[in-house]
């Protein structure tokens, strides 16, 4: 077995504090309250111009991993926390107390180069305490996989690393980041208005989530972000972000296990017009899907065919990959080298669209699509943050249907789509949403 396991969260997944106390620690209902005051709190975390791969010296430091639902509206997808993946590691005998589990919190505002170098120092120290021949395996969600890749490939950790396991890592970026950075991070919901554009554009890490693959539509075909002028963005930051991706290689590919969320409607390409970006779900006429945040094209290493048997697909959304039982079973299998024996069945894989934010007193609209499969009756359930079912519907869906849930109280919710009858099983898909009470702002 691996001597040391390191768990890395994605962007927003680490709590942050300064000398005055916690500056980023929101989950569950606290996330709802934070949405109403984000403009005041997070704007203080804006990084200085030209920060590059350095720390700003502003006293902000990471503390721990987020335990529950967390979100900055407009910057990234609402995400479940990391309690469940931590418990799975504990069940395998990896604990912080034993010294063979490291939960690596990091300042997600900063460059992945900075955090990758910091990770290398922390892992070296932990491995030295275990023994000179000790090996580490990384279990990473989302952007955490980029931090680990830099640590392994560019900070001399390849020889001390046994395995790299990633869940929803944007190996080649995500078009969602292009939308956020160019169009700005502005959320308007009723009287609630949040503008975190300057904060977002100050973050090297968010630029390093921009698509590395050719994704900008033009008359001559698809272009890369470095081959066009991106409105509103600092060209040096974009160029440097793409140089970050260019420095990552396939040198560790034989020990990399990439778990991808799939079959969900996902922004993949973009068109620039009138200083704005419009994202599309198709790539050269085909809808390749993704996990609703990271497209399939961005979830595979550069040069790797999408039908490669090294890519492990799970029908799930980005918000819940690290909390999904099938994903954690795969992680355990990779860590323990036990084979997965899948059942020989045909599954129905629903595509689900749920907004990040909804307004209390108004309908929450959930769209469910079924492609290339017979009509099925599905259960669409709304569950509160404590796991209690609030309401459910069981519509018969042939191709596409919108289901509305009304009169919701403010809070954090999950929309769970699953099967209700025997026959071909339905792969469950879970999405997160915050319902806010704007009149109380």
């Amino acid at each position: 077995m691996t001597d040391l396991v390191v768990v890395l969260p994605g962007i927003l997944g680490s709590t942050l504090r300064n000398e005055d106390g916690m500056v980023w620690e929101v989950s569950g209902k606290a996330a709802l309250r934070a949405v109403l005051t984000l403009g005041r709190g997070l704007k203080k975390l804006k990084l200085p111009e030209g920060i590059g791969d350095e720390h700003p010296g502003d006293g902000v430091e990471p503390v721990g991993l987020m335990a529950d639902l967390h979100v900055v509206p407009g910057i990234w997808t609402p995400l479940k926390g990391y309690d469940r993946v931590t418990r799975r590691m504990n069940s395998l005998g990896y604990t912080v107390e034993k010294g063979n589990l490291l939960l690596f919190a990091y300042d997600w505002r900063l460059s992945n180069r900075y955090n990758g170098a910091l990770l290398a120092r922390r892992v070296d120290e932990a491995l030295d305490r275990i023994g000179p021949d000790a090996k580490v395996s990384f279990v990473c969600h989302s952007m955490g996989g980029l931090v680990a890749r830099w640590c392994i490939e560019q900070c001399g950790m390849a020889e001390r690393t046994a395995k790299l396991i990633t869940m929803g890592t944007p190996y080649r970026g995500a078009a969602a980041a292009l939308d956020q950075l160019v169009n700005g991070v502005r959320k308007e919901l009723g009287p609630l208005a949040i503008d975190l554009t300057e904060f977002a554009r100050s973050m090297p890490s968010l630029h390093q989530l921009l698509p590395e693959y050719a994704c900008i539509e033009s008359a001559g075909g698809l272009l890369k972000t470095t081959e066009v002028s991106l409105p509103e963005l600092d060209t040096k930051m974009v160029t440097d972000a793409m140089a970050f991706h260019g420095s990552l290689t396939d040198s560790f590919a034989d020990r990399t296990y990439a778990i991808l969320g799939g079959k969900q409607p996902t922004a993949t390409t973009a068109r620039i017009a009138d200083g704005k970006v419009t994202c599309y779900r198709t790539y050269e006429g085909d809808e390749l899907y993704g996990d609703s945040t990271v497209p399939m094209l961005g979830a595979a290493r550069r040069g790797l065919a999408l039908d490669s048997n090294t890519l492990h697909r799970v029908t799930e959304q980005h918000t819940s990959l690290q909390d999904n039982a099938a994903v954690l079973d795969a992680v355990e299998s990779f860590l323990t080298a036990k084979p997965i024996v899948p059942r020989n069945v045909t599954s129905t894989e629903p595509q689900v669209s749920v907004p990040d934010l909804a307004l209390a007193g108004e309908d929450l609209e959930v769209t469910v699509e079924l492609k290339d499969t017979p009509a099925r009756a599905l259960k669409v359930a709304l569950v509160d943050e404590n796991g209690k079912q609030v309401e459910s519907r069981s519509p018969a869906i042939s191709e596409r249907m919108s289901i509305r849930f009304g009169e919701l109280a403010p809070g954090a919710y999950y929309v769970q789509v699953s099967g209700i009858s025997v026959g071909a099983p339905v792969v469950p898909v879970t999405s997160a949403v915050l319902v806010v009470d704007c009149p109380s702002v």
Side-chain angles (χ1 to χ4, degrees):
M1 287 182 67
T2 297
D3 301 294
L4 173 70
V5 169
V6 179
V7 176
L8 284 90
I11 191 169
L12 308 177
S14 304
T15 60
L16 304 176
R17 72 180 174 199
N18 62 15
E19 59 184 9
D20 297 322
M22 301 302 296
V23 293
W24 173 246
E25 184 186 34
V26 295
S27 62
K29 290 182 179 178
L32 172 65
R33 292 191 295 270
V35 166
L36 304 179
T37 58
L38 274 173
R40 293 194 300 272
L42 284 180
K43 284 182 179 179
K44 297 178 182 178
L45 295 177
K46 178 185 174 184
L47 296 170
E49 186 176 348
I51 184 67
D53 299 325
E54 303 301 320
H55 192 284
D58 56 2
V60 174
E61 59 181 22
V63 180
L65 273 55
M66 283 289 189
D68 208 332
L69 180 69
H70 51 282
V71 59
V72 177
I75 286 187
W76 203 243
T77 309
L79 297 167
K80 284 190 174 183
Y82 297 92
D83 273 9
R84 192 170 184 181
V85 65
T86 301
R87 290 195 300 269
R88 180 62 71 96
M89 296 303 102
N90 294 162
S91 73
L92 298 177
Y94 298 105
T95 68
V96 173
E97 293 74 19
K98 290 181 181 178
N100 62 358
L101 176 64
L102 173 61
L103 305 177
F104 184 72
Y106 60 92
D107 188 339
W108 38 264
R109 303 174 301 162
L110 307 180
S111 167
N112 289 314
R113 295 189 188 96
Y114 175 90
N115 285 316
L118 178 61
L119 173 63
R121 293 194 294 271
R122 292 281 304 279
V123 171
D124 256 335
E125 293 168 358
L127 289 175
D128 287 344
R129 288 192 292 268
I130 296 172
D133 298 323
K135 297 275 189 176
V136 60
S137 288
F138 296 96
V139 176
C140 314
H141 179 235
S142 194
M143 191 175 76
L146 298 181
V147 175
R149 286 192 73 191
W150 189 264
C151 166
I152 294 168
E153 296 183 23
Q154 299 295 323
C155 300
M157 288 301 300
E159 291 187 1
R160 305 198 78 178
T161 301
K163 299 172 183 177
L164 169 64
I165 303 170
T166 63
M167 303 170 282
T169 288
Y171 281 82
R172 302 187 69 186
L178 188 64
D179 180 10
Q180 293 146 0
L181 285 170
V182 173
N183 295 339
V185 181
R186 302 179 184 88
K187 282 286 186 178
E188 296 184 4
L189 195 68
L192 172 64
I194 300 171
D195 189 347
L196 296 172
T197 300
E198 290 187 5
F199 168 59
R201 289 176 180 166
S202 76
M203 295 166 55
S205 61
L206 192 54
H207 286 74
Q208 289 162 355
L209 295 178
L210 286 168
E212 180 276 334
Y213 64 90
C215 66
I216 309 294
E217 294 184 1
S218 74
L222 294 172
L223 301 175
K224 291 195 171 189
T225 55
T226 51
E227 297 172 334
V228 297
S229 177
L230 296 179
E232 305 295 338
L233 298 194
D234 184 328
T235 300
K236 290 183 179 179
M237 291 187 73
V238 175
T239 301
D240 183 69
M242 295 306 101
F244 166 81
H245 283 281
S247 298
L248 298 174
T249 68
D250 285 337
S251 61
F252 202 75
D254 61 330
R255 285 173 281 167
T256 296
Y257 303 79
I259 303 172
L260 289 59
K263 290 292 186 178
Q264 302 307 301
T266 309
T268 302
T269 57
R271 185 178 302 154
I272 299 175
D274 301 323
K276 296 292 183 181
V277 160
T278 302
C279 290
Y280 298 91
R281 289 163 46 172
T282 56
Y283 180 81
E284 296 183 335
D286 294 326
E287 185 164 6
L288 303 179
Y289 298 106
D291 63 15
S292 81
T293 300
V294 179
M296 194 61 65
L297 276 175
R301 298 189 312 276
R302 189 169 59 248
L304 189 66
L306 294 185
D307 63 352
S308 169
N309 60 1
T310 65
L311 301 176
H312 308 272
R313 291 175 172 82
V314 175
T315 300
E316 184 57 283
Q317 299 218 345
H318 194 76
T319 182
S320 301
L321 279 169
Q322 76 283 10
D323 198 68
N324 180 289
V327 171
L328 294 180
D329 286 346
V331 170
E332 178 176 341
S333 175
F334 299 149
L335 276 176
T336 59
K338 294 178 181 177
I340 302 173
V341 182
R343 291 179 298 162
N344 185 22
V345 296
T346 300
S347 298
T348 297
E349 299 170 318
Q351 292 93 53
V352 184
S353 298
V354 180
D356 295 350
L357 294 175
L359 188 62
E362 296 186 358
D363 286 352
L364 168 64
E365 183 176 4
V366 177
T367 302
V368 182
E369 300 177 70
L370 296 179
K371 298 287 182 65
D372 303 321
T373 188
R376 289 294 307 272
L378 301 180
K379 179 180 180 181
V380 183
L382 187 69
V383 178
D384 68 19
E385 61 182 286
N386 297 314
K388 181 180 179 181
Q389 181 173 296
V390 177
E391 189 177 354
S392 72
R393 310 281 176 76
S394 300
I397 299 175
S398 56
E399 292 184 358
R400 176 187 175 100
M401 177 176 287
S402 292
I403 299 98
R404 294 179 179 271
F405 297 98
E407 299 182 2
L408 299 180
Y413 296 88
Y414 298 104
V415 175
Q416 298 176 340
V417 178
S418 58
I420 59 174
S421 60
V422 296
V426 175
V427 179
V429 175
T430 301
S431 310
V433 59
L434 284 178
V435 177
V436 298
D437 187 9
C438 290
S440 66
V441 178

